[in-house]
Structures are given as C-alpha cells and as structure tokens.
Amino acid sequence: NLGVENIKYLHAGDERRIAGVPIKVLNAEDDYVDEISNDLHNDGSLMFKVYGKTESMLFCADVGKRMSNWIIEHYGDDLPSDYLQMGHHGNGGLSEKFYRMVQPKVAFFDAPAWLFDDTEGKYTSAENRAIMEDMGARIYSFEGAPHTIQLH
C-alpha cells in the first residue's frame, strides 16, 4: 500500500469490469503472500483472469511455485482457461499441478530466446514447455511477436 488516497488496490477475489470486460483477481499483494513467501515482488504479482463470452485467459504475471497451493485451494475452479500467460516468463512459475488444472489450449511464454530455448539447463522453461506440450497446448514466445488473441 503506497498510502495514496485515490488509488483503489485490487485484492484476491475482487471482480471488476474493465472496458466492459469481466476480470477476476486470483492473486495480489495481500497479507497471505507475506505468510507464504519471502519473494513479495514476484509472488505478490497481480494474477487475474479475463473472460470473453465463451473463452478466457489467465495472466499469471511473476507469481511463483510458492503460491500454487494457496491459489489452487482458493480459486481452483477458476483456473481452467483457454489461454495462459505462463508464470514468471515460463521459468520457475507455478507448479505442474497448477498448470494441469489450467489446461490451456495456448500458452504464452513471455520470454526471449535465451530463456525460452535454454539448452544449458540453467532454467526450468524447458520443463514447463514439456508440460504444455504434453497437454497439447500451442506454445508462443517472443519469437514472431507481437502475438494477439481475440477472446470469443
């Protein structure tokens, strides 16, 4: 909280309409994050789901594995989404159980080639790609960007 009076902070569970589009917040920088994680800059990221008429997209920001179980416990029914922006650029990010509950048809790795195509095993992006491939998701990275979708 920055102490600025005219800012309205979002919290987990909040539902809003932005430009007529419904969103639901599944994670925010709330007190529960302090209890679970010591990585507040990443794990306190705003995770939200955007709803079209028949499709949806989940934006995971930089939320990491430590938050997976809490989000599953509180918002597991909200996780299934057609499109997914991977947690923490697809490196680290959320647990396999979390991603399998999302079951996206398309996964966006917000990652440059050196991270997305890591061949040295320094990062977990390859493991997360394998999870997405196993579920049959189409996968996109910065390669060929910008990428656009239209929620139906």
Side-chain angles (χ1 to χ4, degrees):
N1 187 325
L2 299 174
V4 179
E5 290 181 29
N6 63 348
I7 292 178
K8 293 192 183 213
Y9 294 91
L10 292 173
H11 302 280
D14 283 353
E15 296 183 28
R16 298 284 189 274
R17 291 183 85 78
I18 299 177
V21 177
I23 69 163
K24 183 170 184 175
V25 176
L26 306 184
N27 189 68
E29 192 170 326
D30 286 319
D31 291 341
Y32 66 88
V33 178
D34 287 330
E35 297 167 12
I36 298 169
S37 175
N38 61 359
D39 186 7
L40 302 180
H41 293 300
N42 288 316
D43 290 340
S45 294
L46 188 65
M47 178 188 291
F48 60 95
K49 186 172 178 178
V50 177
Y51 296 86
K53 290 180 181 172
T54 61
E55 295 181 313
S56 60
M57 182 163 182
L58 181 61
F59 292 86
C60 294
D62 278 341
V63 179
K65 282 189 170 110
R66 288 179 201 92
M67 301 308 300
S68 296
N69 288 337
W70 189 93
I71 296 167
I72 289 168
E73 180 182 328
H74 291 86
Y75 299 106
D77 291 343
D78 295 305
L79 293 180
S81 301
D82 299 287
Y83 302 93
L84 170 68
Q85 179 261 322
M86 299 291 292
H88 205 261
H89 313 278
N91 173 49
L94 296 132
S95 69
E96 181 173 350
K97 179 180 179 183
F98 178 96
Y99 287 135
R100 290 201 181 274
M101 289 180 76
V102 175
Q103 197 75 170
K105 63 182 181 183
V106 177
F108 294 93
F109 284 68
D110 186 16
W114 61 265
L115 178 58
F116 184 70
D117 296 322
D118 173 41
T119 57
E120 297 176 20
K122 291 172 58 176
Y123 305 100
T124 63
S125 47
E127 294 168 29
N128 286 329
R129 282 174 67 181
I131 294 167
M132 292 298 121
E133 289 167 355
D134 183 61
M135 289 189 289
R138 284 187 317 238
I139 299 170
Y140 294 96
S141 70
F142 280 173
E143 184 69 31
H147 303 292
T148 60
I149 64 164
Q150 182 175 3
L151 291 180
H152 297 280

